[in-house]
């Protein structure tokens, strides 16, 4: 089928206003704010129903054209820029909040619902409930973020966002709709089990297994008061112990630590967020934290009042700080890292930043009471300068390798990072993955080029 025929078919499926093959419309879909080079896109479609997505997938199978699902397109690692061209399915219009179950505490949403929209909806209608959101711009989607193993301000207590998924509705690569989790047996989207858990197949697979159309995500009770208690530490080796002590007390909502060349050069800045239902409650938690900081040979730091709100904002201020170089480019290597490897990760990632002449900038978050740390090292660059972008890419790749050398795993890896992971992967895992993918997607239409295991 030639291009104009595919366009005509897509127009028939979603309507003329919601498909385009025009260069000016495709421009933003061919790149993202990260360091990946732009790649060509053939079409963009904006479906509004599950049936429309099914028809797009059937058409893609017929003409063997790749499809790439996209939420906010904000991973920074180029995950929604097609690798082999094709159709980008922009989920923006599928933005209905279908149900809030206050008792079993979950939200059932369409896949295009953004973190900003769900947060605002809960604040307005269910002020006692909250959803964990990433520190990404609020146009990131709840579904894509959970599907990439994302994390946010409640992840210290409750784990990665992927763990918070109760159920999914997906369009499979053959165009069939499938429900996963308790919703495939019950009217309630309250649990993943107790049946074989297939939801994991769709997490961190970057749209290669199907397109999620609905998701149920866990909600959590919200306390009235929130506070942040900051400690300053002079050496990375102090960090595992202090985190281990804090998580042992069970009082922290969120724990974030940062290294930068700014105000606290040479120090590690650790912020523990606490919540409670009275000032007294908060006061006693602050005392415990001050004691832990002191014992770990750190210093408690009182945050100037003007800065306090800045810290307590959700998403945290990272978005406004990302473009420090004022060149419009920002990407980071995020990783899942064992807590005991954090000191080495901090020191070696600083060395890499300096080697490439980029100011060290690391912001990391403790996940699941210390079971894992989301360690991240950022690189900003000037998008208008190809050499500066190339330099950032090299720094990112070297940091990718560092993560793997330390026993961590690169999170939402860009193409190079995916290749590094695959090189280290156990052959039996590769074989199983290949078998499942080939069975689900024999025509290789689902975001091909990602997780290319040969
Ligand atoms: C300043 C900044 C701070 C950030 N901080 C955080 C943070 O604290 N925590 C965090 O987790 N992330 C963070 N991020 C990374 C990223 O922005 C988020 O993870 C974001 O939520 C990704 O969501 P998205 O809608 O943009 O996903 P997209 O980029 O649109 O998609 C991500 C992946 O999911 C696939 N996908 C999208 N929709 C579907 C679907 N319906 N079905 C199947 N597959 C699909 C895509 O093909 C792609 O592979 C940050 C980013 C920035 C720029």
């Amino acid at each position: 089928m030639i291009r104009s025929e595919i366009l005509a078919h897509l127009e028939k499926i979603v309507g003329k206003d919601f498909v385009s093959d025009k260069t000016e419309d495709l421009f933003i879909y061919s790149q993202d704010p990260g360091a990946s080079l732009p790649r060509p896109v053939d079409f963009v479609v904006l479906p509004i129903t599950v049936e429309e997505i099914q028809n797009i997938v059937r058409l893609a199978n017929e003409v063997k054209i790749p499809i790439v699902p996209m939420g906010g397109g904000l991973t920074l690692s180029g995950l929604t820029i097609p690798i082999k061209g094709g159709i980008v399915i922009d989920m923006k219009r599928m933005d209905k909040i279908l149900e809030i179950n206050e008792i079993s505490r979950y939200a059932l949403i369409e896949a295009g619902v953004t973190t900003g929209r769900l947060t605002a909806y809960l604040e307005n209608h269910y002020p006692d409930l909250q959803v964990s959101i990433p520190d990404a711009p609020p146009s990131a989607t709840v579904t894509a973020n959970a599907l990439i193993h994302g994390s946010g301000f409640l992840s210290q207590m409750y784990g990665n966002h992927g763990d918070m998924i109760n159920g999914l509705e997906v369009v499979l690569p053959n165009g069939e709709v499938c429900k996963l989790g308790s919703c495939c047996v019950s009217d309630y989207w309250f649990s993943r089990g107790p049946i074989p858990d297939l939801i994991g197949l769709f997490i961190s697979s970057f749209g290669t297994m199907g397109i999620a159309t609905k998701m149920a995500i866990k909600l959590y009770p919200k306390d009235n008061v929130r506070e942040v208690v900051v400690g300053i530490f002079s050496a990375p080796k102090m960090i595992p112990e202090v985190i281990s002590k804090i998580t042992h007390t069970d009082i922290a909502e969120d724990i974030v630590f940062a290294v930068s060349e700014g105000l606290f050069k040479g120090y590690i800045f650790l912020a523990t967020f606490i919540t409670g239902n009275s000032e007294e409650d908060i006061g006693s938690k602050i005392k415990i934290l001050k004691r832990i900081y002191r014992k770990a040979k750190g210093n408690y730091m009182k945050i100037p009042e003007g800065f306090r709100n800045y810290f307590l904002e959700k998403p945290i201020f990272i978005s406004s700080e990302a473009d420090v170089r004022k060149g419009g480019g920002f990407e980071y290597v995020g990783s899942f890292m064992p807590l005991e490897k954090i000191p080495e990760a901090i020191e070696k990632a600083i060395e890499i930043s300096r080697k490439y002449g980029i100011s060290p900038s690391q912001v990391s978050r403790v996940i699941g009471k210390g079971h894992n740390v989301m360690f991240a090292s950022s690189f900003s660059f000037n998008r208008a300068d190809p050499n500066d972008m190339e330099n950032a890419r090299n720094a990112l790749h070297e940091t990718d390798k560092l993560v793997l050398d330390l026993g961590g795993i690169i999170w939402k890896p860009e193409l190079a990072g995916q290749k590094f992971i695959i090189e280290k992967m156990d052959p039996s895992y590769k074989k199983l993955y290949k078998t499942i993918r080939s069975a689900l997607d024999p025509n290789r239409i689902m975001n091909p080029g990602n997780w290319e295991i040969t």
Side-chain angles (χ1 to χ4, degrees), residues 117-172:
R117 177 153 148 65
L118 184 57
T119 306
Y121 187 83
L122 291 172
E123 274 166 10
N124 287 333
H125 301 283
Y126 300 89
D128 295 336
L129 289 176
Q130 56 185 345
V131 63
S132 185
I133 54 160
D135 296 319
S139 55
T141 59
V142 180
T143 301
N145 176 258
L147 288 179
I148 57 162
H149 259 127
S151 49
F153 74 102
L154 293 177
S155 290
Q156 195 290 127
M157 293 178 86
Y158 303 113
N160 291 294
H161 294 162
D163 301 338
M164 299 178 185
I165 300 176
N166 274 357
L168 279 181
E169 177 190 84
V170 292
V171 173
L172 295 171

Side-chain angles (χ1 to χ4, degrees), residues 284-350:
S284 67
K285 287 177 181 169
I286 293 177
K287 270 192 202 149
I288 296 172
L289 285 170
K290 281 186 181 172
R291 211 177 305 134
I292 293 175
Y293 288 173
R294 234 184 355 256
K295 274 200 167 166
K297 301 199 172 37
N299 289 308
Y300 162 74
M301 188 191 121
K302 191 166 168 46
I303 303 184
E305 198 46 39
F307 271 110
R308 209 177 128 264
N309 289 342
Y310 189 56
F311 273 96
L312 291 170
E313 262 175 32
K314 289 178 283 183
I316 212 169
F317 51 88
I318 296 171
S319 296
S320 57
E321 296 294 306
D323 185 24
V324 280
R325 297 270 297 283
K326 304 298 170 216
F330 167 66
E331 185 170 338
Y332 59 92
V333 173
S335 63
F336 282 23
M337 186 68 73
L339 180 54
E340 59 267 41
K341 298 304 275 188
I342 287 298
E344 230 183 310
I346 293 178
E347 280 165 355
K348 294 196 166 147
I350 289 178

Side-chain angles (χ1 to χ4, degrees), residues 440-454:
L440 284 178
D441 182 18
N443 292 325
R444 278 282 195 211
I445 56 159
M446 303 302 302
N447 211 354
N450 280 282
W451 293 127
E452 245 357 285
I453 294 176
T454 48

Side-chain angles (χ1 to χ4, degrees), residues 37-93:
L37 290 169
R39 296 188 286 259
V41 183
D42 294 300
F43 305 94
V44 58
V45 278
L46 291 95
I48 197 167
T49 64
V50 178
E51 293 71 27
E52 287 179 3
I53 293 188
Q54 289 182 275
N55 288 334
I56 296 164
V57 173
R58 287 184 189 122
L59 174 69
N61 270 302
E62 201 184 314
V63 297
K64 313 252 183 317
I65 186 171
I67 43 183
V68 179
M70 173 180 151
L74 281 166
T75 58
L76 304 172
S77 33
L79 295 182
T80 56
I81 313 173
I83 295 166
K84 303 194 172 174
I87 307 170
V88 171
I89 304 188
D90 184 335
M91 301 296 290
K92 230 181 234 90
R93 293 173 70 220

